[in-house]
Amino acid sequence: MKNGLLEYFYDGGGLSHYLNYVDGVLHGRYEAYYENATLRERGCYVDGKMDGVWELHYDYGLFIRGEFDMDVAVGEWQVWESDGTSIIMNSISRDHTAEQVKGTSQL
């Protein structure tokens, strides 16, 4: 059974994943990296479920930030282009209804 902090590495030696287990269940900080060492995603698990703010960084420049409440996407989710221009924002409720707003705010 997995317990504690685990780090996984690419064959070339770079960090692939940083995560924590408690009694075999993901719990705590989670980070994943591309082979070039840039951050791919960051968030937190609570009892095996995504919880709190998550960030997703796509290798072609798109950046997404939003919140989970025990594996359910909630609150504001925003998407930015590589230049920092906000292209879309969703407000998501627990019943999965979403309000979409397009904008041009900056990171």
Side-chain angles (χ1 to χ4, degrees):
M1 182 177 307
K2 295 178 184 177
N3 265 307
L5 173 66
L6 293 176
E7 294 177 328
Y8 294 93
F9 296 89
Y10 288 106
D11 290 339
L15 182 63
S16 167
H17 288 80
Y18 176 100
L19 38 90
N20 193 64
Y21 284 90
V22 174
D23 296 329
V25 177
L26 281 168
H27 190 88
R29 181 174 143 195
Y30 170 88
E31 291 180 359
Y33 295 87
Y34 291 104
E35 273 192 88
N36 67 5
T38 59
L39 185 64
R40 189 176 79 206
E41 57 187 11
R42 174 187 302 160
C44 185
Y45 280 94
V46 174
D47 296 327
K49 297 179 187 236
M50 294 180 287
D51 197 62
V53 175
W54 277 71
E55 297 177 353
L56 305 135
H57 303 258
Y58 292 92
D59 56 357
Y60 52 88
L62 206 61
F63 171 67
I64 299 173
R65 181 186 295 144
E67 187 173 349
F68 284 95
D69 180 4
M70 302 306 283
D71 265 355
V72 177
V74 296
E76 290 185 359
W77 280 76
Q78 196 153 8
V79 179
W80 289 274
E81 294 281 3
S82 59
D83 67 359
T85 302
S86 174
I87 56 173
I88 197 164
M89 184 173 68
N90 282 330
S91 182
I92 304 171
S93 66
R94 288 224 24 107
D95 66 358
H96 299 286
T97 59
E99 179 182 334
Q100 190 174 90
V101 179
K102 293 187 179 191
T104 57
S105 63
Q106 294 286 314
L107 264 176

